[in-house]
Amino acid sequence: MEKLKSLVPENLKQTVGSSTVDDLPSSCSFLLRLFQQSQLFFQVIGDLAMDPENALCGKKKDAALELKRQGNQCFLKGDYAPALVYYSQALQVAPMNAVDMDKNLVATLYVNRASVLLKMDLQLECLRDCNRALQISSNYAKAWYRRGKANASMGNFHDAIRDFQMSKSVEVSFNGKKQVDDELKIIQRQHKRSNTVLEHSNNNKLDDFDEPIQVKLHVTTSNKGRGMVSPIEIPPSSLVHVEEPYALVILKHCRETHCHYCLNELPADKVPCPSCSIPLYCSQRCQIQAGGRMLQNVPDNKEILKDLSDDLRKYVQEITLPSFADLRTDDVPEHKHECDGVHWPVILPSEIVLAGRIVAKFVGQGGVFADASNLVDMLNLSHHFSEMHADSKLECIIYSIILSSCLRQFFPSQLPVNENTISQIVILISQIRTNSISIVRMKSFDAPGSRDQSGRLSSVVPFTCNMEQVRVGQAIYTTGSLFNHSCKPNIHAYFNSRTLFIRTTASVTVGCPLELSYGPQVGQLDCKDRLKLLEDEYSFKCQCSGCSMVHIPDLVLNAFCCINSSCCGVVLDRSIFNCENKKTKDYLTVDEQSRLEPFMLTDSFLHAGPSHCLKCGSYRNIKSSRSTVDEAWIHFTRLQQEINSNRVSETTVSDALRALCSLKSTLHAYNKRIAEAEDNLSQAFCLLGKLELAADHCKASIRILEKLYGENHITIGNELLKLSSILLSVGDCNGVECIKRLSEIFRCHYGWHANAMFPFLNILEEETHKFVSTDV
């Protein structure tokens, strides 16, 4: 990018920087002609969309064989974890038609990996890999044998018998037949039957739920543009919207850990793309739905069906010729245009790859670029191109030229590279930056609690249930993008696989806008930081109630306390004071005044200033106070390092306790850093086995966070999860009430999906029943 930007003269940069939507085609034309005269540009396009035979993203038999050799060595030494990695890497680069020792290489690798999975007690994953090998080569005796071993391990003896019968039928060596026959006799003596376990996708249990949408929303227009409002009153936890993405892309840092189609975590038997070495999928279903081809069964292998009984023939066909007839066929495969070993989907930013998928879908559905706004009108999304920074405009146009040139190789007749096409892609990128939604997964660290011999939660694991949101994908939801942002949202978005769900988190009155958070919320960042983040990321100045009215969280989040110990007023630095001062005229209601009264006087912004208490007017030296906080925080940094290493010393905890006193004498009682300090101390005492002290500090942290976020925010639910596990560990009956409350919070945000998405709720509720039963 930087090399191409360096080709642009300053006068053209200025022209592009001042361009609007109306003169965008002219700017695109200037830049396109400039690049088409440069050898550097064609070199860049050649590197991004090179010949599949020479592409680094293509399949390489030699590389696959070397990885297979290393996997074999690890397997023979009993190093199963690295063997699994080597076989999986070999599958990524092995060509589908490659042969090794008279066997299809891909089928051999699936069988080898199945052997590792069986050794690691991953029977279901082993079974699926055997199925994949048999779909390529149905007369592969080792695959049938390994499948029988896996079924036997799971108690599926009826299927195991049929697997061994097939293995014996296709085995050509005398010793091999004898080994299978001996195994078969052992299984037949078990006299057990079990249903066949067929391969299935890694779908979340949420698919079992079919909750209807409880209200039809209306689109309205306000000072924020288009938005969604309710025509009726809606209670909390109501499902108001469900939508599949128009287009989606996985983020780069998740390519090795999450499925490239459904974005769920990859299992041990992850499935590569048969045509290139980049995407990984959780199942064949996802791989095929993304645009990949099915595993091909060698025609001669069908000969084995001739002499089989009807029952066994049907069994073999179910395994070797799976049907994916239930897959959605209305969509254009999103990976197909990226699947020729080209480099640009790997190298270009995720938002540009997402734009490429939208263009490919548009063209695949018959869209044409003859009209100057066909693509833009089709999506019907807002954008802020004219308000973008000059450098961002230049980058958008350059990326659009690159993307259209790369896509042209897949759509040679449908996608002309001219100013019309490029300008539409520029607006598309601007639409993505304004409207795309980040798909997140909730990541929990280990289990919410292990049990000791008595069956109670052990005393050292309450803090292994920490949770955080992890961004795994970026998508366009054409209707979902109509929900405007608020730093005090009344709806909550979450995801099952690719599907967007939106629920209310509070009562919504008739005609009230339904607004979600695009990221920053009241209580998480102060107002000035939220405004900056939203303007930088989404190119708009937030005017929600959280940013236009004075709220307690914005006052106390980063505030200092008054030097008068009997005063609860807040002391603000200049930047926060100036931001809050602009909002004073918007909040003067009786209700708001009564809530703010403990922290400030109604007219305090008129008479006080930065560094002065907004309640009594006392002065605090902010510079000196910051130094005090920085010195105290050194001890919490050291404490956090010891917590991360699971080795906490009494000395470090004692130092942190003294530092906490220093923080409390300097920062406001509801300052977020005090909550963080209390949380660190709670974790430390938990590791030291002093759970009563851990619970006290955890409660102190929650009291602050409730003031910042509100009592029913999902953040409070996460903190109650920690507290409940501590309380149950020490036999405190208050843990039961904690679990009831956190369950209510999670169900408010996730409805009936909560228990499926968060299995720890089931574990904690089970622990609650056990606790209550024991007390009785």
Side-chain angles (χ1 to χ4, degrees), residues 154-177:
M154 293 187 292
N156 298 332
F157 295 105
H158 181 58
D159 287 353
I161 289 172
R162 295 192 286 187
D163 291 333
F164 286 128
Q165 287 173 340
M166 281 304 305
S167 180
K168 182 180 177 181
S169 172
V170 298
E171 177 59 59
V172 294
S173 71
F174 174 79
N175 289 337
K177 284 182 180 290

mmCIF file of all heavy atoms in Angstrom, residues 154-177:
data_model
loop_
_atom_site.group_PDB
_atom_site.id
_atom_site.type_symbol
_atom_site.label_atom_id
_atom_site.label_comp_id
_atom_site.label_asym_id
_atom_site.label_seq_id
_atom_site.Cartn_x
_atom_site.Cartn_y
_atom_site.Cartn_z
ATOM 1 N N MET A 154 -16.896 -46.342 21.740
ATOM 2 C CA MET A 154 -18.059 -45.548 22.141
ATOM 3 C C MET A 154 -19.261 -46.421 22.513
ATOM 4 O O MET A 154 -20.310 -45.900 22.867
ATOM 5 C CB MET A 154 -18.448 -44.582 21.022
ATOM 6 C CG MET A 154 -17.429 -43.500 20.768
ATOM 7 S SD MET A 154 -17.986 -42.244 19.566
ATOM 8 C CE MET A 154 -18.030 -43.208 18.069
ATOM 9 N N GLY A 155 -19.097 -47.748 22.389
ATOM 10 C CA GLY A 155 -20.207 -48.631 22.714
ATOM 11 C C GLY A 155 -21.165 -48.864 21.573
ATOM 12 O O GLY A 155 -22.226 -49.474 21.755
ATOM 13 N N ASN A 156 -20.818 -48.403 20.373
ATOM 14 C CA ASN A 156 -21.672 -48.625 19.202
ATOM 15 C C ASN A 156 -21.299 -49.975 18.567
ATOM 16 O O ASN A 156 -20.745 -50.046 17.465
ATOM 17 C CB ASN A 156 -21.501 -47.492 18.181
ATOM 18 C CG ASN A 156 -21.904 -46.149 18.736
ATOM 19 O OD1 ASN A 156 -22.757 -46.069 19.618
ATOM 20 N ND2 ASN A 156 -21.302 -45.086 18.233
ATOM 21 N N PHE A 157 -21.601 -51.057 19.270
ATOM 22 C CA PHE A 157 -21.098 -52.368 18.868
ATOM 23 C C PHE A 157 -21.728 -52.866 17.566
ATOM 24 O O PHE A 157 -21.080 -53.566 16.788
ATOM 25 C CB PHE A 157 -21.313 -53.381 19.991
ATOM 26 C CG PHE A 157 -20.514 -53.061 21.219
ATOM 27 C CD1 PHE A 157 -21.126 -52.534 22.339
ATOM 28 C CD2 PHE A 157 -19.142 -53.245 21.248
ATOM 29 C CE1 PHE A 157 -20.398 -52.215 23.479
ATOM 30 C CE2 PHE A 157 -18.403 -52.932 22.370
ATOM 31 C CZ PHE A 157 -19.034 -52.411 23.487
ATOM 32 N N HIS A 158 -22.974 -52.533 17.334
ATOM 33 C CA HIS A 158 -23.627 -52.969 16.097
ATOM 34 C C HIS A 158 -22.911 -52.381 14.886
ATOM 35 O O HIS A 158 -22.624 -53.091 13.910
ATOM 36 C CB HIS A 158 -25.093 -52.550 16.118
ATOM 37 C CG HIS A 158 -25.852 -52.971 14.897
ATOM 38 N ND1 HIS A 158 -25.954 -54.289 14.492
ATOM 39 C CD2 HIS A 158 -26.537 -52.241 13.975
ATOM 40 C CE1 HIS A 158 -26.663 -54.356 13.386
ATOM 41 N NE2 HIS A 158 -27.035 -53.127 13.052
ATOM 42 N N ASP A 159 -22.606 -51.098 14.951
ATOM 43 C CA ASP A 159 -21.876 -50.466 13.849
ATOM 44 C C ASP A 159 -20.444 -50.980 13.773
ATOM 45 O O ASP A 159 -19.886 -51.131 12.683
ATOM 46 C CB ASP A 159 -21.864 -48.943 14.037
ATOM 47 C CG ASP A 159 -23.214 -48.315 13.745
ATOM 48 O OD1 ASP A 159 -24.108 -49.040 13.284
ATOM 49 O OD2 ASP A 159 -23.372 -47.103 13.992
ATOM 50 N N ALA A 160 -19.830 -51.204 14.942
ATOM 51 C CA ALA A 160 -18.452 -51.712 14.944
ATOM 52 C C ALA A 160 -18.375 -53.047 14.223
ATOM 53 O O ALA A 160 -17.425 -53.313 13.463
ATOM 54 C CB ALA A 160 -17.956 -51.841 16.380
ATOM 55 N N ILE A 161 -19.360 -53.933 14.433
ATOM 56 C CA ILE A 161 -19.383 -55.238 13.758
ATOM 57 C C ILE A 161 -19.425 -55.050 12.251
ATOM 58 O O ILE A 161 -18.693 -55.697 11.489
ATOM 59 C CB ILE A 161 -20.582 -56.066 14.252
ATOM 60 C CG1 ILE A 161 -20.342 -56.514 15.695
ATOM 61 C CG2 ILE A 161 -20.831 -57.275 13.352
ATOM 62 C CD1 ILE A 161 -21.545 -57.165 16.348
ATOM 63 N N ARG A 162 -20.272 -54.140 11.782
ATOM 64 C CA ARG A 162 -20.377 -53.913 10.340
ATOM 65 C C ARG A 162 -19.101 -53.296 9.779
ATOM 66 O O ARG A 162 -18.687 -53.603 8.654
ATOM 67 C CB ARG A 162 -21.591 -53.029 10.043
ATOM 68 C CG ARG A 162 -22.912 -53.725 10.401
ATOM 69 C CD ARG A 162 -24.128 -53.003 9.863
ATOM 70 N NE ARG A 162 -24.433 -51.785 10.606
ATOM 71 C CZ ARG A 162 -25.527 -51.053 10.410
ATOM 72 N NH1 ARG A 162 -26.400 -51.409 9.480
ATOM 73 N NH2 ARG A 162 -25.758 -49.974 11.127
ATOM 74 N N ASP A 163 -18.454 -52.406 10.573
ATOM 75 C CA ASP A 163 -17.174 -51.829 10.133
ATOM 76 C C ASP A 163 -16.111 -52.915 9.962
ATOM 77 O O ASP A 163 -15.375 -52.942 8.961
ATOM 78 C CB ASP A 163 -16.685 -50.789 11.150
ATOM 79 C CG ASP A 163 -17.554 -49.545 11.181
ATOM 80 O OD1 ASP A 163 -18.179 -49.227 10.150
ATOM 81 O OD2 ASP A 163 -17.615 -48.900 12.253
ATOM 82 N N PHE A 164 -16.024 -53.819 10.940
ATOM 83 C CA PHE A 164 -15.028 -54.891 10.855
ATOM 84 C C PHE A 164 -15.366 -55.862 9.720
ATOM 85 O O PHE A 164 -14.464 -56.397 9.067
ATOM 86 C CB PHE A 164 -14.931 -55.628 12.190
ATOM 87 C CG PHE A 164 -14.216 -54.851 13.256
ATOM 88 C CD1 PHE A 164 -14.790 -54.657 14.499
ATOM 89 C CD2 PHE A 164 -12.964 -54.299 13.017
ATOM 90 C CE1 PHE A 164 -14.130 -53.930 15.487
ATOM 91 C CE2 PHE A 164 -12.300 -53.573 14.002
ATOM 92 C CZ PHE A 164 -12.883 -53.386 15.237
ATOM 93 N N GLN A 165 -16.641 -56.084 9.492
ATOM 94 C CA GLN A 165 -17.029 -56.938 8.357
ATOM 95 C C GLN A 165 -16.568 -56.319 7.042
ATOM 96 O O GLN A 165 -16.072 -57.019 6.157
ATOM 97 C CB GLN A 165 -18.553 -57.143 8.351
ATOM 98 C CG GLN A 165 -19.060 -58.063 9.445
ATOM 99 C CD GLN A 165 -20.573 -58.115 9.508
ATOM 100 O OE1 GLN A 165 -21.265 -57.219 9.007
ATOM 101 N NE2 GLN A 165 -21.103 -59.179 10.125
ATOM 102 N N MET A 166 -16.720 -55.010 6.911
ATOM 103 C CA MET A 166 -16.273 -54.341 5.695
ATOM 104 C C MET A 166 -14.750 -54.364 5.591
ATOM 105 O O MET A 166 -14.194 -54.572 4.507
ATOM 106 C CB MET A 166 -16.769 -52.885 5.676
ATOM 107 C CG MET A 166 -18.217 -52.736 5.274
ATOM 108 S SD MET A 166 -18.584 -53.494 3.666
ATOM 109 C CE MET A 166 -17.377 -52.692 2.620
ATOM 110 N N SER A 167 -14.066 -54.161 6.716
ATOM 111 C CA SER A 167 -12.604 -54.185 6.708
ATOM 112 C C SER A 167 -12.103 -55.558 6.270
ATOM 113 O O SER A 167 -11.172 -55.664 5.452
ATOM 114 C CB SER A 167 -12.066 -53.835 8.098
ATOM 115 O OG SER A 167 -10.649 -53.859 8.105
ATOM 116 N N LYS A 168 -12.709 -56.606 6.790
ATOM 117 C CA LYS A 168 -12.317 -57.967 6.416
ATOM 118 C C LYS A 168 -12.605 -58.228 4.938
ATOM 119 O O LYS A 168 -11.833 -58.895 4.238
ATOM 120 C CB LYS A 168 -13.065 -58.964 7.292
ATOM 121 C CG LYS A 168 -12.699 -60.417 7.033
ATOM 122 C CD LYS A 168 -13.494 -61.339 7.955
ATOM 123 C CE LYS A 168 -13.188 -62.809 7.647
ATOM 124 N NZ LYS A 168 -13.964 -63.719 8.525
ATOM 125 N N SER A 169 -13.731 -57.659 4.449
ATOM 126 C CA SER A 169 -14.130 -57.880 3.061
ATOM 127 C C SER A 169 -13.147 -57.274 2.071
ATOM 128 O O SER A 169 -12.864 -57.859 1.026
ATOM 129 C CB SER A 169 -15.528 -57.305 2.830
ATOM 130 O OG SER A 169 -15.877 -57.333 1.466
ATOM 131 N N VAL A 170 -12.592 -56.084 2.397
ATOM 132 C CA VAL A 170 -11.716 -55.390 1.435
ATOM 133 C C VAL A 170 -10.236 -55.612 1.729
ATOM 134 O O VAL A 170 -9.392 -55.217 0.926
ATOM 135 C CB VAL A 170 -12.026 -53.875 1.405
ATOM 136 C CG1 VAL A 170 -13.453 -53.641 0.950
ATOM 137 C CG2 VAL A 170 -11.791 -53.234 2.777
ATOM 138 N N GLU A 171 -9.901 -56.193 2.884
ATOM 139 C CA GLU A 171 -8.501 -56.470 3.207
ATOM 140 C C GLU A 171 -7.967 -57.561 2.273
ATOM 141 O O GLU A 171 -8.626 -58.578 2.039
ATOM 142 C CB GLU A 171 -8.382 -56.915 4.669
ATOM 143 C CG GLU A 171 -6.981 -57.301 5.104
ATOM 144 C CD GLU A 171 -5.982 -56.177 4.951
ATOM 145 O OE1 GLU A 171 -6.192 -55.106 5.571
ATOM 146 O OE2 GLU A 171 -5.008 -56.365 4.205
ATOM 147 N N VAL A 172 -6.761 -57.374 1.736
ATOM 148 C CA VAL A 172 -6.214 -58.308 0.759
ATOM 149 C C VAL A 172 -5.206 -59.275 1.370
ATOM 150 O O VAL A 172 -4.964 -60.357 0.825
ATOM 151 C CB VAL A 172 -5.555 -57.544 -0.421
ATOM 152 C CG1 VAL A 172 -6.605 -56.773 -1.199
ATOM 153 C CG2 VAL A 172 -4.456 -56.611 0.079
ATOM 154 N N SER A 173 -4.587 -58.926 2.497
ATOM 155 C CA SER A 173 -3.566 -59.794 3.085
ATOM 156 C C SER A 173 -4.187 -60.797 4.054
ATOM 157 O O SER A 173 -5.183 -60.498 4.715
ATOM 158 C CB SER A 173 -2.503 -58.962 3.807
ATOM 159 O OG SER A 173 -3.037 -58.394 4.992
ATOM 160 N N PHE A 174 -3.559 -61.993 4.140
ATOM 161 C CA PHE A 174 -4.057 -63.040 5.038
ATOM 162 C C PHE A 174 -3.952 -62.600 6.502
ATOM 163 O O PHE A 174 -4.894 -62.754 7.277
ATOM 164 C CB PHE A 174 -3.265 -64.339 4.816
ATOM 165 C CG PHE A 174 -3.609 -65.416 5.794
ATOM 166 C CD1 PHE A 174 -4.758 -66.171 5.639
ATOM 167 C CD2 PHE A 174 -2.792 -65.654 6.906
ATOM 168 C CE1 PHE A 174 -5.089 -67.172 6.555
ATOM 169 C CE2 PHE A 174 -3.122 -66.635 7.823
ATOM 170 C CZ PHE A 174 -4.275 -67.398 7.648
ATOM 171 N N ASN A 175 -2.781 -62.048 6.895
ATOM 172 C CA ASN A 175 -2.585 -61.613 8.283
ATOM 173 C C ASN A 175 -3.547 -60.491 8.652
ATOM 174 O O ASN A 175 -4.045 -60.427 9.775
ATOM 175 C CB ASN A 175 -1.137 -61.168 8.492
ATOM 176 C CG ASN A 175 -0.170 -62.339 8.469
ATOM 177 O OD1 ASN A 175 -0.563 -63.479 8.727
ATOM 178 N ND2 ASN A 175 1.104 -62.058 8.159
ATOM 179 N N GLY A 176 -3.775 -59.600 7.688
ATOM 180 C CA GLY A 176 -4.714 -58.511 7.940
ATOM 181 C C GLY A 176 -6.117 -59.023 8.185
ATOM 182 O O GLY A 176 -6.808 -58.576 9.099
ATOM 183 N N LYS A 177 -6.563 -59.987 7.359
ATOM 184 C CA LYS A 177 -7.894 -60.563 7.533
ATOM 185 C C LYS A 177 -8.013 -61.258 8.888
ATOM 186 O O LYS A 177 -9.040 -61.157 9.578
ATOM 187 C CB LYS A 177 -8.188 -61.554 6.409
ATOM 188 C CG LYS A 177 -8.541 -60.920 5.072
ATOM 189 C CD LYS A 177 -8.858 -61.982 4.046
ATOM 190 C CE LYS A 177 -9.223 -61.373 2.699
ATOM 191 N NZ LYS A 177 -10.527 -60.694 2.730
#
